[in-house]
Amino acid sequence: MSITVVGSVAFDSIETPAGRMERCLGGAATYFSLSASFFTDVRVIAVVGEDFGKRQEAVFQARKIDTRGIEHTAGKSFFWEGSYLENINEAKTHNTELNVFASFNPKIPEAYRDSEFLFLANIDPVLQRRVREAMPQARLVAGDTMNYWIKDHRAALLEVLKGLDILLINDTETKMLAGNNNLVQAARAVMSMGPKTLVVKHGEYGATLFHGNAQNGGAFRAPALPLEEVVDPTGAGDSFAGGFFGYLASQPEQSPAAFRHAMFYGSVMGSFACERFGTERMQKLTRPEIDARFNIFRELTHLA
Amino acid sequence: MSITVVGSVAFDSIETPAGRMERCLGGAATYFSLSASFFTDVRVIAVVGEDFGKRQEAVFQARKIDTRGIEHTAGKSFFWEGSYLENINEAKTHNTELNVFASFNPKIPEAYRDSEFLFLANIDPVLQRRVREAMPQARLVAGDTMNYWIKDHRAALLEVLKGLDILLINDTETKMLAGNNNLVQAARAVMSMGPKTLVVKHGEYGATLFHGNAQNGGAFRAPALPLEEVVDPTGAGDSFAGGFFGYLASQPEQSPAAFRHAMFYGSVMGSFACERFGTERMQKLTRPEIDARFNIFRELTHLA
């Protein structure tokens, strides 16, 4: 089944202990699409400027991602500059230029309207809601957000949450959204806002799936692979989401077992994303590599 | 098989968001013993003062822990005062009084000398080494340490590490000991110092076992239970160690599968320790409760 994703397609300048990369292709929708494309058909809704050319388009084409929903306008694409020099797990933002993203008004190609799976990547909740309402046929809707929207755009965000089946956020965002420092209590509070399923990403410690009664049997924890070298964690969370949701969409049924496998595929894709700068690793990845790492993850948590 | 443990038996005054407890029984050897006693016979080596009386002794007796190695001397027992008000996962120390512990010279009862399992809880590495050398028959030796010894007593600590089969420490200690911020690289560096097996405790995120080649198949990650309420995390790490080493000692063979199960039992015991102040939960625990939670942990990470 196909997924439609709305979010940012951007350029990133990134500095990590491993080096520095200028203006590489980035953005949540980019990482999500590349990752999910290993599991199912993906269609992107985004806006880019004149700096997005054939080279960038080719990255999507190589993975057979439908880019008819990427609007090209005058001006420059969204740009982010950040570093991970002090803490490899936490980005320090040096510069954000919204550029063409500032007036983004998502347009949904007619050809996308039969997508049964919809992913609302981290953008203004007003836009997330607009896309969700314009795609009533979507039967499984997942989304992401960030501290900025939680703090300063809460009302709009709460409206989005009501329409979400699955929310994927990190520990800090979960606790901030709930106003509660206990993860289990915070998870329950967030799920009472709408999402039936909550995926809390713990970075290098994996992720927890909350579903129904969180204390007994309703929770599932997927590990992250202890990585020898983290070159660049940018996009790891979006790649997690792409692997998670892409796998789910590829399954005939979204059963509890499918959700658990999806958590593992999310972790697998997140681990690959960190191995090279920007989307480099995702571009060269193969499905056999994904399956081999899935087996390592299984082994990493297999009891006997 | 019996375990001999050397470490602190102490009194703790603890403040957490759940309340305040004055001078409850604590100390690494106490938590370790109580936890391990659910799996195997435990013998303690420690020193206490005149404030350690029948009530405290009864806590050990109730779990059939051999206390003949607890030396009673004039003065007061080791005392620690701390709080977890800002961050439930990180203790803030307000006061430490070594008291009788300052001149602790571990004496090993003759009856302990056939223990094949030895646990060196977090004390001065000079003492850890002395106990290890006095018990040459111990065929599996595990130990703990802390940032203070890593920073200021490195030479003595390195001598201890040479004689350890298993080291149990947390993320920060692993990275500090190795002088490397990448966990996998740090783990390898620490293992080159002696321990064939390294258990890195991640607090609320579980723990990772490194054994041999850490990247492929040599690592195992056990989850922590997402806890509804953390009343008091004091002793969770020592309870983890007790469950881990106690289970290992109870097995006919320390196979890879036994190590994996031991990681789960460690996590299980750590999770119980947090549920009440001090040793309260450990004192009232039953083996059926432990097995029931083991199954929850298994379910929490079981793929399909």
Side-chain angles (χ1 to χ4, degrees):
Chain A
M1 308 298 285
S2 76
I3 297 176
T4 288
V5 53
V6 59
S8 58
V9 170
F11 288 93
D12 295 336
S13 286
I14 303 162
E15 191 166 5
T16 82
R20 186 173 168 87
M21 189 66 93
E22 300 294 342
R23 294 186 61 76
C24 55
L25 180 63
T30 304
Y31 284 104
F32 179 92
S33 307
L34 289 173
S35 176
S37 73
F38 288 92
F39 303 92
T40 194
D41 293 334
V42 184
R43 301 155 169 181
V44 189
I45 301 169
V47 63
V48 294
E50 291 146 324
D51 46 6
F52 184 96
K54 285 204 175 123
R55 259 184 61 201
Q56 288 75 33
E57 176 70 25
V59 173
F60 290 86
Q61 293 307 333
R63 294 291 324 145
K64 300 194 183 356
I65 295 163
D66 194 330
T67 57
R68 284 177 288 177
I70 297 184
E71 184 187 353
H72 293 252
T73 66
K76 288 172 73 180
S77 300
F78 183 86
F79 173 73
W80 177 79
E81 186 178 358
S83 67
Y84 304 82
L85 294 179
E86 275 164 45
N87 182 350
I88 191 71
N89 295 305
E90 201 179 312
K92 191 170 170 182
T93 293
H94 299 291
N95 189 14
T96 304
E97 296 170 10
L98 287 177
N99 299 325
V100 300
F101 216 77
S103 51
F104 180 34
N105 186 11
K107 292 171 194 63
I108 300 154
E110 205 49 43
Y112 285 18
R113 294 204 182 260
D114 63 350
S115 280
E116 293 189 15
F117 294 82
L118 175 63
F119 189 75
L120 310 171
N122 168 33
I123 51 170
D124 186 335
V126 170
L127 301 183
Q128 290 181 313
R129 189 182 175 195
R130 203 177 294 164
V131 172
R132 200 280 166 262
E133 286 178 351
M135 296 190 70
Q137 84 300 338
R139 65 178 175 86
L140 202 70
V141 185
D144 189 5
T145 190
M146 69 183 291
N147 49 8
Y148 173 69
W149 308 116
I150 295 171
K151 263 167 49 187
D152 298 341
H153 296 257
R154 191 174 176 87
L157 180 60
L158 290 178
E159 284 304 311
V160 173
L161 293 182
K162 284 183 197 166
L164 280 192
D165 297 297
I166 306 168
L167 177 67
L168 295 98
I169 49 181
N170 68 29
D171 285 74
T172 312
E173 291 156 356
T174 306
K175 292 172 181 174
M176 186 188 286
L177 185 51
N180 187 321
N181 271 323
N182 177 281
L183 187 63
V184 177
Q185 292 173 15
R188 189 183 303 128
V190 169
M191 290 164 76
S192 76
M193 298 171 191
K196 288 174 287 295
T197 301
L198 173 67
V199 176
V200 183
K201 296 171 285 179
H202 312 308
E204 62 172 325
Y205 299 118
T208 303
L209 173 84
F210 290 98
H211 191 79
N213 175 357
Q215 189 73 14
N216 288 295
F220 178 68
R221 186 161 278 185
L225 186 68
L227 281 174
E228 181 74 27
E229 192 185 11
V230 174
V231 170
D232 171 19
T234 309
D238 301 311
S239 300
F240 179 103
F244 173 84
F245 207 49
Y247 177 80
L248 267 188
S250 77
Q251 294 303 294
E253 207 188 337
Q254 284 71 47
S255 63
F259 269 90
R260 288 173 171 234
H261 281 76
M263 290 288 288
F264 266 62
Y265 278 109
S267 283
V268 163
M269 300 308 282
S271 80
F272 279 121
C274 297
E275 290 184 352
R276 296 282 181 279
F277 272 101
T279 58
E280 208 179 303
R281 189 68 183 89
M282 284 290 148
Q283 289 174 237
K284 293 189 177 149
L285 197 57
T286 65
R287 184 61 199 248
E289 287 179 309
I290 293 170
D291 292 330
R293 185 158 295 179
F294 182 92
N295 288 332
I296 292 177
F297 270 69
R298 184 200 288 269
E299 184 60 26
L300 186 68
T301 54
H302 188 65
L303 241 189
Chain B
M1 307 298 285
S2 76
I3 297 177
T4 288
V5 53
V6 59
S8 57
V9 171
F11 288 92
D12 296 335
S13 286
I14 303 161
E15 191 166 5
T16 82
R20 186 173 169 88
M21 189 66 94
E22 300 293 340
R23 294 186 60 77
C24 55
L25 180 63
T30 305
Y31 284 104
F32 178 93
S33 306
L34 289 173
S35 176
S37 73
F38 288 93
F39 303 92
T40 192
D41 292 335
V42 184
R43 302 155 169 180
V44 190
I45 301 170
V47 63
V48 294
E50 292 146 325
D51 46 5
F52 184 96
K54 284 202 176 123
R55 259 184 61 201
Q56 287 76 32
E57 176 70 25
V59 172
F60 291 86
Q61 294 307 332
R63 296 290 324 145
K64 300 193 182 2
I65 296 164
D66 194 330
T67 57
R68 284 177 288 178
I70 297 184
E71 184 187 354
H72 293 252
T73 66
K76 288 172 73 181
S77 300
F78 183 86
F79 172 73
W80 177 79
E81 186 178 358
S83 67
Y84 304 82
L85 294 178
E86 275 164 45
N87 182 349
I88 192 70
N89 295 306
E90 201 179 313
K92 191 170 170 183
T93 293
H94 299 290
N95 189 14
T96 303
E97 296 170 11
L98 287 178
N99 298 326
V100 300
F101 216 77
S103 52
F104 180 34
N105 186 11
K107 292 170 193 64
I108 299 155
E110 205 48 44
Y112 285 18
R113 293 203 182 262
D114 64 349
S115 280
E116 293 190 15
F117 295 82
L118 175 62
F119 188 76
L120 310 171
N122 167 34
I123 51 171
D124 186 337
V126 170
L127 301 183
Q128 289 181 315
R129 188 182 176 195
R130 203 176 294 162
V131 173
R132 200 280 165 263
E133 287 177 351
M135 296 192 68
Q137 84 300 337
R139 65 177 176 86
L140 202 69
V141 185
D144 188 5
T145 190
M146 70 183 289
N147 49 8
Y148 173 70
W149 309 115
I150 294 171
K151 263 167 49 188
D152 298 340
H153 297 257
R154 191 176 177 87
L157 180 61
L158 289 177
E159 284 305 312
V160 173
L161 294 182
K162 283 183 197 165
L164 279 193
D165 297 297
I166 307 169
L167 177 66
L168 296 98
I169 49 181
N170 67 28
D171 285 74
T172 312
E173 290 156 357
T174 306
K175 292 171 181 175
M176 186 188 285
L177 185 51
N180 187 321
N181 270 322
N182 177 282
L183 187 63
V184 177
Q185 292 173 16
R188 189 183 303 128
V190 168
M191 290 164 77
S192 76
M193 298 171 189
K196 287 174 287 296
T197 301
L198 172 67
V199 176
V200 183
K201 296 171 286 180
H202 312 308
E204 62 172 325
Y205 299 118
T208 303
L209 173 85
F210 291 97
H211 190 79
N213 174 357
Q215 188 73 17
N216 287 296
F220 178 67
R221 186 160 278 184
L225 186 69
L227 282 174
E228 180 75 28
E229 193 185 12
V230 174
V231 170
D232 172 20
T234 309
D238 301 311
S239 300
F240 179 102
F244 172 84
F245 208 49
Y247 177 81
L248 268 188
S250 77
Q251 295 303 294
E253 207 188 336
Q254 284 71 48
S255 64
F259 269 89
R260 289 173 172 234
H261 282 76
M263 289 289 287
F264 266 62
Y265 278 109
S267 283
V268 163
M269 299 309 280
S271 79
F272 279 121
C274 298
E275 291 184 350
R276 296 281 181 280
F277 272 101
T279 58
E280 207 179 305
R281 188 69 183 92
M282 285 290 147
Q283 289 175 237
K284 294 191 176 148
L285 197 58
T286 65
R287 185 61 200 249
E289 287 179 310
I290 294 170
D291 293 330
R293 186 159 295 180
F294 182 92
N295 288 332
I296 292 177
F297 271 68
R298 183 201 289 269
E299 183 59 27
L300 186 68
T301 53
H302 187 65
L303 240 191

